[in-house]
Amino acid sequence: QVRLVESGGGLVQPGGPLKLSCTASGTIGRIYVMGWYRQAPGKQRELVAVIASTGMTQYADSVKGRSTISRDNAKTAVYLQMDSLKPEDTAVYFCNVDDVSNAENYWGQGTQVTVSS
């Protein structure tokens, strides 16, 4: 079992930066994808950015060029640095681990990000 805890959300002014962190406790298999999803009010949850065990990354077009996902080599944390935040980035951000090796998928509780002046 893997437990995920997000932190770093809050109120941010438009144009400002934000860094989200997700700490993972438990054992994750060798092949995995870690990342961030978000859900705005009235909308479906969507991918923001993910990073695979190979190091390959994928970003949503809406955040590409202003976001960077990273992880520690021990698979205990994944981070999302977002810059030039926009009001449309307002959402609950969820950490996710797709443990491909063990056919398990885990979600964090989510952290609210609000972009407003």
Side-chain angles (χ1 to χ4, degrees):
Q1 190 74 14
V2 173
R3 181 168 178 261
L4 304 175
V5 179
E6 302 99 335
S7 62
L11 177 64
V12 184
Q13 289 195 341
L18 184 75
K19 185 172 183 177
L20 301 178
S21 300
C22 173
T23 57
S25 60
T27 302
I28 300 172
R30 188 174 61 86
I31 302 173
Y32 62 89
V33 178
M34 303 177 77
W36 294 91
Y37 291 72
R38 68 186 181 188
Q39 187 166 19
K43 295 189 176 181
Q44 290 189 336
R45 192 172 297 189
E46 63 176 5
L47 180 149
V48 179
V50 294
I51 182 165
S53 48
T54 59
M56 184 182 70
T57 58
Q58 179 181 347
Y59 295 89
D61 288 342
S62 58
V63 304
K64 200 175 294 182
R66 59 187 183 94
S67 298
T68 303
I69 189 169
S70 60
R71 58 170 165 78
D72 70 342
N73 290 333
K75 298 177 290 186
T76 58
V78 61
Y79 309 98
L80 181 67
Q81 175 71 44
M82 297 184 69
D83 299 310
S84 303
L85 282 165
K86 306 174 182 180
E88 50 263 43
D89 292 318
T90 296
V92 178
Y93 284 70
F94 296 90
C95 180
N96 176 265
V97 170
D98 184 6
D99 185 346
V100 180
S101 294
N102 296 308
E104 297 282 356
N105 193 280
Y106 303 98
W107 290 94
Q109 291 295 315
T111 184
Q112 177 70 48
V113 173
T114 301
V115 183
S116 176
S117 55

